[in-house]
Amino acid sequence: SQQGEEDPQALSIQEGENATMNCSYKTSINNLQWYRQNSGRGLVHLILIRSNEREKHSGRLRVTLDTSKKSSSLLITASRAADTASYFCATDKVGGGSNYKLTFGKGTLLTVNP
Amino acid sequence: DARVTQTPRDKVTEMGQEVTMRCQPILGHNTVFWYRQTMMQGLELLAYFRNRAPLDDSGMPKDRFSAEMPDATLATLKIQPSEPRDSAVYFCASGNTMGTEAFFGQGTRLTVV
């Protein structure tokens, strides 16, 4: 079963605008990760935020984590047509010890129009 | 350039046939995941291994699916017999230690007719 759920399911914006995607999850986690998938290809890791962190930056990406609300957001600033892809959040579960499982949501399809 | 390699990239087979998908994880990674991706269900975790030992295969239909790691450089996912509802893209991913990123292969697109 999915642990994370992304919102919205699809997002269409113009080049240069910012894109915000949200992720909600159900159980406590050790960390939350965001991945990107270009059509028909494997997922690529973008950024990881740990449960004791609230915000993290990487280039044009900004991720926030609110463990009290069990939610995260991914902000892509100054979007480009090349950012068009599906974006997934992934979580592992607290208490898994060495048996952590990485589970994904269904993703947000981002389209950046030139 | 270390990467996860999956073979075959595409597979078309008839219902009832056995299908074997292979994955070569990144050298030195101790965790291997198998995922199935469909439009309806998204990315489902089928099974994963730590140090070649299966830790959880609860996401896998046991009657027809099996996953193994005969050695540290090879993971296999078998479906026998295959059914049209097994049509999907199957991804293998590998990683190292808890709480770090997973590296994905390019996937095997399986079509069962």
Side-chain angles (χ1 to χ4, degrees):
Chain A
S1 61
Q2 257 71 26
Q3 159 78 318
E5 291 292 336
E6 291 89 347
D7 165 58
Q9 289 187 326
L11 180 62
S12 181
I13 60 174
Q14 295 300 122
E15 213 166 22
E17 293 180 341
N18 295 342
T20 299
M21 290 159 271
N22 303 297
C23 169
S24 59
Y25 56 92
K26 297 172 185 171
T27 64
S28 296
I29 58 173
N30 292 312
N31 68 65
L32 185 143
Q33 304 180 39
W34 284 91
Y35 287 77
R36 165 194 169 126
Q37 183 182 34
N38 285 74
S39 178
R41 308 200 58 176
L43 280 73
V44 174
H45 181 262
L46 294 176
I47 194 165
L48 179 152
I49 186 165
R50 301 199 184 282
S51 59
N52 61 354
E53 297 176 310
R54 291 297 167 259
E55 187 171 312
K56 203 161 184 179
H57 296 255
S58 176
R60 293 184 296 113
L61 305 180
R62 173 178 167 254
V63 170
T64 62
L65 180 64
D66 187 336
T67 53
S68 66
K69 295 181 179 178
K70 291 187 170 59
S71 68
S72 172
S73 68
L74 171 67
L75 169 68
I76 304 175
T77 60
S79 64
R80 305 165 182 168
D83 294 328
T84 295
S86 290
Y87 292 82
F88 296 85
C89 68
T91 57
D92 65 356
K93 290 184 180 180
V94 162
S98 62
N99 298 344
Y100 83 102
K101 292 186 351 178
L102 195 61
T103 56
F104 288 79
K106 291 192 176 181
T108 292
L109 175 60
L110 173 65
T111 303
V112 181
N113 301 299
Chain B
D1 183 22
R3 61 182 68 187
V4 175
T5 303
Q6 288 186 249
T7 56
R9 286 295 306 273
D10 288 278
K11 177 73 176 179
V12 180
T13 192
E14 291 185 348
M15 184 173 64
Q17 296 297 305
E18 177 179 302
V19 176
T20 299
M21 290 168 271
R22 294 178 173 78
C23 168
Q24 181 176 358
I26 292 174
L27 189 65
H29 281 184
N30 65 356
T31 305
V32 174
F33 302 89
W34 281 106
Y35 292 92
R36 175 172 65 185
Q37 186 176 36
T38 60
M39 289 294 292
M40 291 298 295
Q41 299 298 327
L43 268 165
E44 300 173 277
L45 178 63
L46 298 176
Y48 72 107
F49 295 77
R50 177 70 46 79
N51 297 320
R52 293 178 56 202
L55 290 188
D56 189 335
D57 59 2
S58 59
M60 206 164 63
K62 302 289 191 309
D63 56 338
R64 299 183 299 107
F65 284 61
S66 62
E68 295 179 345
M69 277 201 76
D71 61 61
T73 64
L74 177 64
T76 62
L77 180 66
K78 287 186 181 179
I79 308 174
Q80 168 63 21
S82 57
E83 297 180 1
R85 59 179 169 155
D86 300 329
S87 297
V89 181
Y90 291 81
F91 287 103
C92 172
S94 71
N96 208 15
T97 71
M98 184 177 72
T100 59
E101 67 182 283
F103 292 80
F104 278 75
Q106 292 301 297
T108 294
R109 182 177 298 277
L110 174 65
T111 304
V112 183
V113 298

